[in-house]
């Protein structure tokens, strides 16, 4: 069914108009019925008159520049250029596609560019082609269906990212490997970059340092070639964070001390480096610095993470402290709800330390069921 046909019927019903009332002087009621059922393809003039009667300015292909901006938007999306996609949908000209033959593309791509993307109404799915339906499925989080409908690097890397954030590292790496191969065939360097970075992060979660470095080094070369400065910095951050997990505190300290743009999370890791190297005062000063950041509120994960470190630093017998135990559990649950699984894995040693110290071996066992790769490694 055409999008225009669907919209005519939907708007007419919303306005509680009869077919005869809408089409009088424009076409016959029987012809309008066929239009609404998708059995007739009306001319641009008829469409414009029907929509105009309902107070809607319908843009024809001529008025919408033949969909050139839509083509650009799809190119930006599928090549991973999200910043350019966001700029395009903020262009006043983009609004011209809302009531046009490209209305579905307008709705879907606008959601893809938003900060909190949501699927569009399911009733519109009868009007969608495979590409549009794949986008809808991705917005619904139904990634396996999206890659079946439109197998390309973008959908595979998005599915891999989703699985990675859920903690399913094995499935994530399978999807990301396919994403990398498809992106290479498509010539989509940014999709290759995202796939390589996330594969590196998967191996970081598994604490497989050599494999992690292999993917991160490839990603760093791609990022440098693309001028993706933030991604280059993110790779360095992830490597240093993994060094902390592996007990390489001096190497990690070198990075976190030199880091220019300090966030609450980076200061948290710097404090841990100082903690592990028995530089308690520096660790506390670093946590004070994190607490002064305006964007960090007590209920945020970043604040809870830092509080757990502070409690360890200020109480030599923290494992006997109920306050520490409650703070640790609260921190871990917040990480599970709001952050990728890697943050939970980062805090697993302290969780296991607490359970083992209190002889809560069943709790430790049950916790490890959620992180099978970590359990195998241990």
């Amino acid at each position: 069914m055409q999008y225009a046909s669907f919209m005519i019927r939907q708007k007419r019903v919303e306005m509680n108009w009869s077919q005869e009332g809408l089409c009088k002087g424009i076409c016959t009621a029987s012809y309008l019925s066929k239009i609404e059922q998708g059995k007739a393809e009306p001319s641009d003039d008829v469409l414009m008159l029907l929509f105009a009667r309902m107070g809607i300015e319908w843009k024809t292909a001529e008025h919408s520049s033949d969909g050139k901006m839509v083509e650009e938007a799809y190119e930006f999306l599928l090549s991973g250029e999200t910043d350019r996609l966001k700029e395009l949908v903020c262009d006043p000209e983009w609004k011209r596609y809302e009531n046009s033959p490209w209305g579905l593309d307008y709705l879907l791509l606008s959601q893809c560019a938003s900060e909190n993307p949501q699927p569009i109404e399911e009733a519109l799915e009868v009007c969608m082609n495979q590409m549009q339906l794949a986008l809808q499925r991705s917005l619904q989080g139904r990634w396996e269906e999206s890659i079946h409908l439109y197998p390309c690097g973008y959908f595979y890397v998005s599915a891999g990212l989703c699985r990675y954030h859920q903690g399913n590292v094995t499935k994530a790496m399978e999807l990301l490997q396919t994403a990398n191969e498809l992106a290479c065939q498509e010539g989509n360097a940014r999709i290759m970059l995202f796939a390589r970075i996330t594969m590196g992060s998967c191996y970081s979660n598994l604490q497989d340092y050599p494999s992690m470095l292999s993917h991160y080094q490839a990603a760093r070369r791609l990022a440098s070639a693309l001028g993706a400065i933030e991604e280059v910095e993110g790779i360095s951050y992830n490597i240093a964070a993994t060094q902390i997990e592996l007990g390489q505190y001096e190497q990690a300290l070198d990075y976190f001390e030199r880091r220019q743009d300090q966030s609450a999370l980076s200061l948290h890791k710097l404090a841990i480096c100082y903690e592990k190297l028995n530089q308690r005062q520096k660790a506390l000063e670093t946590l004070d610095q994190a607490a002064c950041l305006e964007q960090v509120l007590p209920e945020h994960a970043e604040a809870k993470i830092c509080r757990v470190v502070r409690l360890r630093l200020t109480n030599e017998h923290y494992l006997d402290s109920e306050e520490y135990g409650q703070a640790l559990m609260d921190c871990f649950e917040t990480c599970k709800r709001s952050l990728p699984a890697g943050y939970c894995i980062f805090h697993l040693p302290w969780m296991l330390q607490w359970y083992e110290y209190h002889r809560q071996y069943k709790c430790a066992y049950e916790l490890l069921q959620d992180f099978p790769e970590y359990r195998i490694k241990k």
Side-chain angles (χ1 to χ4, degrees):
M1 177 183 289
Q2 286 189 349
Y3 176 66
S5 299
F6 180 92
M7 292 303 297
I8 287 171
R9 184 182 188 283
Q10 185 183 61
K11 295 296 181 182
R12 179 182 64 77
V13 172
E14 285 178 4
M15 299 173 74
N16 198 27
W17 284 12
S18 67
Q19 290 181 332
E20 291 79 3
L22 173 59
C23 69
K24 186 176 181 180
I26 300 174
C27 64
T28 65
S30 61
Y31 186 61
L32 175 57
S33 178
K34 289 180 179 179
I35 292 172
E36 291 186 350
Q37 294 176 59
K39 296 179 179 179
E41 187 172 339
S43 66
D44 286 343
D45 289 340
V46 170
L47 283 177
M48 291 175 68
L49 288 169
L50 290 171
F51 277 109
R53 182 157 289 174
M54 294 185 289
I56 298 170
E57 184 183 1
W58 181 258
K59 303 291 194 308
T60 65
E62 180 182 356
H63 293 141
S64 302
S65 304
D66 295 327
K68 290 180 182 178
M69 288 186 75
V70 170
E71 291 177 9
E72 288 182 359
Y74 275 116
E75 178 62 27
F76 294 152
L77 176 72
L78 297 181
S79 61
E81 298 186 75
T82 52
D83 289 341
R84 297 185 70 183
L85 175 62
K86 290 177 181 178
E87 289 176 8
L88 186 146
V89 301
C90 289
D91 189 318
E93 288 297 308
W94 177 248
K95 188 73 174 175
R96 296 176 65 86
Y97 288 98
E98 182 176 13
N99 296 314
S100 80
W102 292 275
L104 271 179
D105 302 301
Y106 168 87
L107 294 172
L108 289 163
L109 290 163
S110 295
Q111 284 298 326
C112 289
S114 71
E115 293 299 322
N116 183 30
Q118 299 292 327
I120 65 175
E121 61 175 303
E122 292 185 13
L124 286 166
E125 292 180 8
V126 296
C127 308
M128 295 180 185
N129 59 32
Q130 278 194 259
M131 176 62 194
Q132 293 165 340
L133 191 55
L135 271 185
Q136 172 79 337
R137 293 291 178 262
S138 70
L139 291 168
Q140 293 168 334
R142 296 158 63 176
W143 292 106
E144 281 73 11
E145 294 177 58
S146 70
I147 59 182
H148 176 74
L149 286 163
Y150 203 91
C152 67
Y154 168 77
F155 286 119
Y156 268 96
V157 81
S158 299
L161 277 166
C162 180
R163 291 300 189 189
Y164 165 70
H165 286 155
Q166 293 171 347
N168 191 340
V169 175
T170 302
K171 183 61 176 178
M173 288 194 292
E174 176 187 325
L175 292 164
L176 293 164
Q177 184 60 47
T178 303
N180 188 60
E181 294 169 359
L182 288 173
C184 182
Q185 295 171 18
E186 298 159 0
N188 280 335
R190 286 188 180 275
I191 299 298
M192 292 172 63
L193 170 61
F194 299 151
R196 285 286 197 166
I197 287 176
T198 314
M199 280 194 281
S201 298
C202 288
Y203 281 111
S204 171
N205 283 6
L206 297 174
Q207 297 186 8
D208 182 342
Y209 195 71
S211 296
M212 179 200 73
L213 278 183
S214 175
H215 285 288
Y216 277 158
Q217 286 168 355
R220 184 177 277 155
R221 287 192 290 271
L222 283 165
S224 297
L226 291 167
I229 305 303
E230 288 186 13
E231 281 75 12
V232 172
E233 182 59 32
I235 291 166
S236 298
Y237 178 97
N238 289 343
I239 290 173
T242 305
Q243 289 171 336
I244 291 177
E245 295 183 70
L246 296 174
Q248 300 173 10
Y249 305 117
E250 292 183 355
Q251 295 94 316
L253 178 65
D254 181 62
Y255 166 77
F256 285 113
E257 282 188 328
R258 288 185 293 104
R259 182 180 166 90
Q260 296 296 314
D261 185 18
Q262 294 285 20
S263 65
L265 290 175
S266 65
L267 289 169
H268 159 259
K269 290 178 174 58
L270 176 58
I272 288 179
C273 290
Y274 286 136
E275 176 191 13
K276 293 296 185 179
L277 294 171
N278 297 315
Q279 299 182 44
R280 177 178 173 277
Q281 189 56 41
K282 282 189 174 182
L284 288 171
E285 290 171 0
T286 301
L287 293 174
D288 290 339
Q289 186 180 346
C292 291
L293 296 176
E294 292 183 1
Q295 68 272 28
V296 179
L297 299 175
E299 65 270 19
H300 290 174
E302 295 92 330
K304 293 181 179 182
I305 286 170
C306 289
R307 180 168 178 255
V308 168
V309 181
R310 185 182 294 276
L311 289 171
R312 287 201 300 268
L313 291 166
T314 55
N315 187 347
E316 181 181 355
H317 304 289
Y318 64 88
L319 288 173
D320 293 314
S321 167
E322 190 64 29
E323 181 185 9
Y324 172 77
Q326 291 178 353
L328 178 63
M329 300 298 167
D330 182 38
C331 168
F332 194 78
E333 288 302 314
T334 301
C335 287
K336 284 177 67 175
R337 289 194 307 270
S338 59
L339 296 173
Y343 287 88
C344 291
I345 292 173
F346 187 90
H347 285 87
L348 267 180
W350 287 286
M351 290 289 293
L352 294 173
Q353 180 190 46
W354 175 266
Y355 284 139
E356 290 171 6
Y357 182 82
H358 291 274
R359 298 183 179 182
Q360 297 176 1
Y361 302 118
K362 182 179 178 181
C363 291
Y365 174 80
E366 290 175 349
L367 175 63
L368 286 172
Q369 302 310 299
D370 295 330
F371 303 92
E373 293 90 354
Y374 188 88
R375 184 178 73 249
I376 292 170
K377 180 186 72 67
K378 294 294 284 186

